[in-house]
């Protein structure tokens, strides 16, 4: 599969095999081969950012064993949700059992999601969503071209915004407000994962993993800050740097803390402010090396007289020559029960 991924056409930068292997291993998937007809899938993984489908295939391979016994005549999403390269109804999947045909949801059909969870008799499924229809079409073509499409049956392709898709699934599945969780794991492979992390966390099962995979560590920092600012039930387990000659990745120290000077200022403003665990962690800490990152939110930023241009994202990554091939940073969060 690694050679196939490297040589396939690409419309975007792919997730290279070495990186995809590490990302999938972080989910610690151990699917069992179970009998078909058990009902809706117990294992559902969402990949936000289909790209050219490289990571999608590695995810599908990881859960493929759970669907080996799925009966060919089990119910499935509507057949007219399958599209070819030109976006027309495709007949080139007739060799694939009707219950296992993947779908590509059109944006105009978003109000009535094509994927029907209750009619899906697979034991595990990978949902992959992208804002660009062309990306989903190319990714589906690439997946289909590998070993006669053996992993097509494990994937559902979707088009649109991840937060809107989640809202549609909550409505379609008639989930109650008290418990709207339905995803086992989530991978945010997109430029601004912090925008969707709150919505994603709301539908993630307890003990499920949320991964943010980005080329720059500042994008991971943005997620860390968003989780801290909104008190989301996500615990950061680790941040890894991926790249050439990094077997398994290199750990980074990325935390949101209040520096001691800032904490003293807060204590002077509020009398008898108790010492928090956060203060204990930040007391006496210094930046030990360039890999240690600290975040500080300033409440008085808006009062600064210096005009600031908004809308920029910082790029912070090592240089590896004229061309960067693979690598990046992945943050791993675990959903906690609050």
């Amino acid at each position: 599969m690694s050679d196939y991924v490297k040589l396939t056409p690409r419309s975007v930068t792919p997730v290279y095999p070495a990186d995809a292997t590490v990302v999938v291993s972080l989910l610690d998937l151990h699917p069992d081969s179970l009998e078909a007809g058990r009902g809706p899938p117990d294992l559902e993984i969402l990949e936000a950012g289909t790209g050219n489908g490289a990571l999608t295939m590695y995810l599908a391979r990881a859960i493929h064993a759970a669907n080996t016994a799925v009966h060919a005549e089990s119910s499935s999403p509507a057949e007219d949700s399958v599209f070819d390269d030109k976006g027309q109804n495709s007949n080139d999947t007739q060799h694939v059992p009707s219950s296992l045909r993947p779908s590509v949801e059109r944006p105009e059909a978003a109000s009535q999601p094509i994927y029907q969870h209750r009619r899906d008799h697979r034991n595990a499924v990978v949902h992959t969503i992208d804002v660009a229809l062309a990306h989903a079409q190319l990714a589906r073509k690439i997946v289909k071209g590998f070993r006669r499409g053996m992993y097509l049956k494990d994937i559902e392709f979707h088009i649109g915004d991840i937060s809107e898709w989640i809202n549609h699934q909550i409505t379609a599945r008639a989930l109650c407000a008290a418990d709207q969780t339905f995803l086992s794991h989530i991978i945010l492979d997109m430029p601004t994962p912090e925008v969707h992390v709150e919505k994603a966390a709301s539908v993630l099962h307890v003990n499920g993993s949320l991964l943010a995979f980005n080329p720059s560590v500042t994008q991971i920092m943005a997620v860390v800050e968003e989780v801290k600012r909104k008190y989301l039930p996500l615990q950061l387990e680790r941040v890894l740097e991926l790249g050439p000659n990094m077997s398994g990745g290199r750990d980074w120290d990325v935390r949101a803390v209040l520096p001691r000077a800032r904490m003293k200022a807060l204590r002077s403003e509020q009398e008898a402010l108790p010492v928090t665990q956060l203060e204990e962690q930040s007391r006496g800490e210094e930046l030990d090396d360039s890999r240690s990152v600290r975040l500080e939110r300033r409440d008085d930023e808006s009062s600064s007289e210096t005009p600031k241009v908004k809308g920029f994202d910082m790029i912070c990554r090592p240089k590896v020559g004229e061309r960067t091939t693979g690598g990046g940073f992945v943050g791993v969060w675990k959903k906690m029960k609050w």
Side-chain angles (χ1 to χ4, degrees), residues 153-204:
K153 63 182 180 181
D154 305 307
I155 305 170
E156 293 290 335
F157 293 91
H158 308 277
I159 303 297
D161 177 83
I162 173 179
S163 295
E164 293 180 0
W165 181 84
I166 289 175
N167 289 332
H168 297 151
Q169 289 298 314
I170 292 174
T171 302
R173 300 174 188 227
L175 300 176
C176 63
D179 184 11
Q180 297 182 342
T181 60
F182 64 91
L183 292 174
S184 305
H185 305 287
I186 300 174
I187 300 177
L188 303 178
D189 182 8
M190 56 201 312
T192 55
E194 72 278 5
V195 175
H196 302 283
V197 66
E198 182 178 12
K199 176 59 69 173
S202 68
V203 295
L204 182 64

Side-chain angles (χ1 to χ4, degrees), residues 125-309:
V125 61
V126 174
H127 297 283
T128 180
I129 183 170
D130 202 290
V131 295
L133 177 61
H135 292 171
Q137 291 173 337
L138 177 60
R140 180 186 175 277
K141 183 177 180 180
I142 290 174
V143 174
K144 180 185 174 183
F146 182 74
R147 295 188 178 180
R148 299 181 180 181
M150 64 178 299
Y151 296 131
L152 272 175
K153 63 182 180 181
D154 305 307
I155 305 170
E156 293 290 335
F157 293 91
H158 308 277
I159 303 297
D161 177 83
I162 173 179
S163 295
E164 293 180 0
W165 181 84
I166 289 175
N167 289 332
H168 297 151
Q169 289 298 314
I170 292 174
T171 302
R173 300 174 188 227
L175 300 176
C176 63
D179 184 11
Q180 297 182 342
T181 60
F182 64 91
L183 292 174
S184 305
H185 305 287
I186 300 174
I187 300 177
L188 303 178
D189 182 8
M190 56 201 312
T192 55
E194 72 278 5
V195 175
H196 302 283
V197 66
E198 182 178 12
K199 176 59 69 173
S202 68
V203 295
L204 182 64
H205 287 306
V206 174
N207 294 324
S209 297
L210 186 146
L211 276 61
F213 183 43
N214 297 106
S216 174
V217 70
T218 57
Q219 294 166 296
I220 303 298
M221 291 165 59
V223 180
V224 173
E225 187 176 12
E226 186 72 5
V227 170
K228 195 74 175 179
R229 185 173 67 88
K230 293 188 176 179
Y231 300 98
L232 301 181
L234 296 173
Q235 179 179 347
L236 180 62
E237 293 194 326
R238 62 191 306 191
V239 174
L240 289 176
E241 178 188 1
L242 307 180
N245 303 321
M246 292 185 185
S247 178
R250 181 173 63 183
D251 283 286
W252 278 50
D253 180 16
V254 179
R255 288 180 287 165
V257 302
L258 287 176
R260 183 170 54 184
R262 181 63 174 167
M263 181 63 69
K264 288 183 177 180
L266 292 175
R267 289 175 63 91
S268 64
E269 296 173 2
Q270 302 177 6
E271 295 182 358
L273 183 67
V275 178
T276 64
Q277 181 180 2
L278 186 60
E279 182 184 6
E280 292 291 343
Q281 293 177 353
S282 60
R283 177 179 297 171
E285 287 189 345
E286 300 293 341
L287 297 180
D288 51 357
D289 54 41
S290 60
R291 293 182 298 159
S292 187
V293 181
R294 304 290 186 268
L295 301 180
E296 178 183 3
R297 294 185 58 85
R298 297 185 180 277
D299 297 332
D300 57 352
E301 283 182 344
S302 59
S303 62
S304 176
E305 296 180 357
T306 304
K308 295 182 179 180
V309 179

